[in-house]
Amino acid sequence: IKVTDLKVNTAYVYRAGISFGQGIRWSEYINFWTSKPPGFTPPSGNNSSKPAITFLAVADQGVANGTITGCPNKDGAGAGRNVTRLINSLSLNHTVDSVHIIGDLSYADGNTHIWDQYMSMIEPFASRIPTMVAVGNHEYDYTKGDGSKRDGSGVRTNETFHPSWGGSGFWDEGGECGVPLVNRFAAPNNGNSIFWYSFEQSLVHTIVLSSEHNMTKGSDQYKFLEKDLSGINRTVTPWVVVELHRPMYNGVKYWTQDAIEIAMRYEIEELLRLHRVDLVMSGHYHAYLRSCDGLYLEKCSNGGPQYLTIGTGGGSLDCSLTLITDHYTKKLDKKHFGVGRVSVYNASALHFEFVALGEEVVDDFWLLRQRN
């Protein structure tokens, strides 16, 4: 069911029903807030002590994940459910404007009943807060199709993206081909369904990309990104955030995956710098990593974005990760499950917090920008 013509920044009360032989069984009444309009600032303007918008971001969640063998962390099996409880707690009393899940949602890998469990798990927040998703490898990747059908993104199944530089990094994840995801979540009709699109809330323009699809120069996704970045009104939405499942910078010793990061940087890093993207958020690695600000061509303070990996939604933590020798990775946390909380106060100030289970803030930083 798609509900249309909703007013912005408005509270609605609704309930859902399902028909069966003896009538309709109704849910409880649910309060839902729609998004703040582009350009929205608090009533006291840019000098407000309250943020204009706050959203949560996380990736790699799952229903029954959280195996932590060898990890010094007590929040093991069921961590995905614990992170959901954290999101619920952080978003009480309309304190969060949206939730962004950046790929690898259910880890169903073709098992529909797990998708059902996952949707029931996230219902407490997804039923009342705008919830935006990106596609991850577990929702999409497959190795071979018969060419007679189309996958959820419209790509012919025998033409799926398997670049030579990807090596074994694009393997079969149960043959979902994006179909369960595209039939369970919605996105603005300005790109390619939930695979690549953009949306605006308050002072933030967010672009969601698919790291599982072709983004080489001249591809459909590259053209979308280039056009979307060129059309942003930075007076209305001064902050630009890009989200994609696989990170472009991660700084860990994992060559198969590192090769994919390098290749993605080769294709779109210059676009991100040219259009002054502020923040890039990803998952895939089950840990939290923060780069330096202004990262471009592996150099800090060089005109690029700040990069974050927030793959701490419940999937088994990558406790064995070790960093390569670099100068741009400023924080690695492989001990905590948690979410990122982004609070934008005005055109110049953004505050990020990595909030672990128990609502402990284990890392935070400010992005400060001078806007022309």
Side-chain angles (χ1 to χ4, degrees):
I1 298 174
K2 185 176 182 180
V3 181
T4 59
D5 299 323
L6 299 177
K7 296 180 180 180
V8 296
N9 200 26
T10 301
Y12 286 87
V13 178
Y14 75 97
R15 61 177 179 167
I18 183 170
S19 297
F20 65 107
Q22 298 178 355
I24 300 176
R25 179 173 297 170
W26 292 99
S27 70
E28 297 179 352
Y29 284 99
I30 301 168
N31 294 312
F32 178 87
W33 277 89
T34 55
S35 295
K36 294 172 179 174
F40 172 87
T41 56
S44 55
N46 285 332
N47 295 321
S48 175
S49 60
K50 295 180 61 177
I53 180 176
T54 296
F55 64 89
L56 305 179
V58 73
D60 304 278
Q61 194 167 21
V63 176
N65 284 317
T67 303
I68 52 169
T69 303
C71 292
N73 188 297
K74 66 183 187 312
D75 300 300
R81 297 185 182 276
N82 291 334
V83 170
T84 294
R85 295 186 186 100
L86 174 64
I87 294 172
N88 292 335
S89 178
L90 295 176
S91 59
L92 292 175
N93 302 318
H94 192 212
T95 52
V96 168
D97 297 284
S98 59
V99 177
H100 304 186
I101 309 174
I102 313 173
D104 283 8
L105 284 73
S106 71
Y107 288 86
D109 291 349
N111 297 291
T112 303
H113 71 281
I114 296 179
W115 269 111
D116 292 341
Q117 293 173 17
Y118 179 78
M119 299 303 290
S120 296
M121 184 182 79
I122 68 170
E123 181 181 339
F125 68 81
S127 61
R128 58 188 177 86
I129 305 170
T131 300
M132 313 304 291
V133 302
V135 65
N137 51 294
H138 280 273
E139 285 83 42
Y140 183 75
D141 287 8
Y142 56 95
T143 55
K144 186 179 180 180
D146 60 12
S148 63
K149 298 180 180 179
R150 292 182 178 271
D151 68 10
S153 64
V155 176
R156 294 193 64 84
T157 55
N158 60 347
E159 298 172 359
T160 184
F161 189 51
H162 287 283
S164 58
W165 43 259
S168 60
F170 293 87
W171 52 76
D172 195 303
E173 301 284 8
E176 289 194 356
C177 311
V179 174
L181 190 70
V182 79
N183 283 286
R184 284 171 169 81
F185 294 91
N189 187 26
N190 58 8
N192 182 2
S193 184
I194 50 86
F195 299 95
W196 52 87
Y197 62 93
S198 67
F199 62 98
E200 295 182 332
Q201 287 185 299
S202 184
L203 302 178
V204 182
H205 183 102
T206 301
I207 301 172
V208 178
L209 300 176
S210 170
S211 57
E212 311 313 304
H213 287 75
N214 189 352
M215 62 172 65
T216 60
K217 296 176 178 65
S219 65
D220 289 344
Q221 186 171 198
Y222 183 93
K223 291 176 183 176
F224 161 79
L225 176 61
E226 185 175 38
K227 181 179 179 180
D228 195 87
L229 287 169
S230 299
I232 301 171
N233 184 340
R234 300 298 283 264
T235 301
V236 177
T237 51
W239 292 94
V240 178
V241 176
V242 171
E243 299 174 352
L244 70 169
H245 181 62
R246 297 177 192 254
M248 293 172 60
Y249 280 97
N250 215 56
V252 299
K253 295 180 180 178
Y254 195 169
W255 175 243
T256 300
Q257 301 297 328
D258 292 346
I260 297 173
E261 298 172 19
I262 294 169
M264 289 195 297
R265 297 204 299 262
Y266 177 80
E267 300 299 342
I268 67 171
E269 186 178 21
E270 174 60 26
L271 269 184
L272 305 187
R273 185 203 63 83
L274 177 66
H275 293 280
R276 296 174 292 122
V277 169
D278 297 291
L279 185 64
V280 177
M281 296 193 291
S282 302
H284 197 55
Y285 295 86
H286 296 182
Y288 167 74
L289 291 99
R290 168 170 57 87
S291 79
C292 58
D293 188 19
L295 184 55
Y296 174 64
L297 297 180
E298 300 189 3
K299 295 180 180 180
C300 300
S301 303
N302 197 29
Q306 172 104 40
Y307 289 85
L308 293 169
T309 298
I310 321 169
T312 51
S316 304
L317 293 174
D318 289 331
C319 304
S320 61
L321 286 180
T322 56
L323 291 173
I324 60 175
T325 302
D326 68 57
H327 58 279
Y328 54 77
T329 301
K330 300 303 179 184
K331 179 73 173 181
L332 166 63
D333 187 318
K334 50 187 179 180
K335 298 179 181 179
H336 294 95
F337 297 105
V339 301
R341 179 166 59 191
V342 181
S343 298
V344 174
Y345 286 82
N346 50 49
S348 303
L350 177 153
H351 187 216
F352 177 87
E353 302 163 281
F354 176 51
V355 186
L357 296 182
E359 301 191 23
E360 176 189 6
V361 176
V362 296
D363 188 44
D364 78 301
F365 64 88
W366 285 88
L367 282 184
L368 302 176
R369 296 286 189 258
Q370 292 183 343
R371 307 291 184 184
N372 295 326

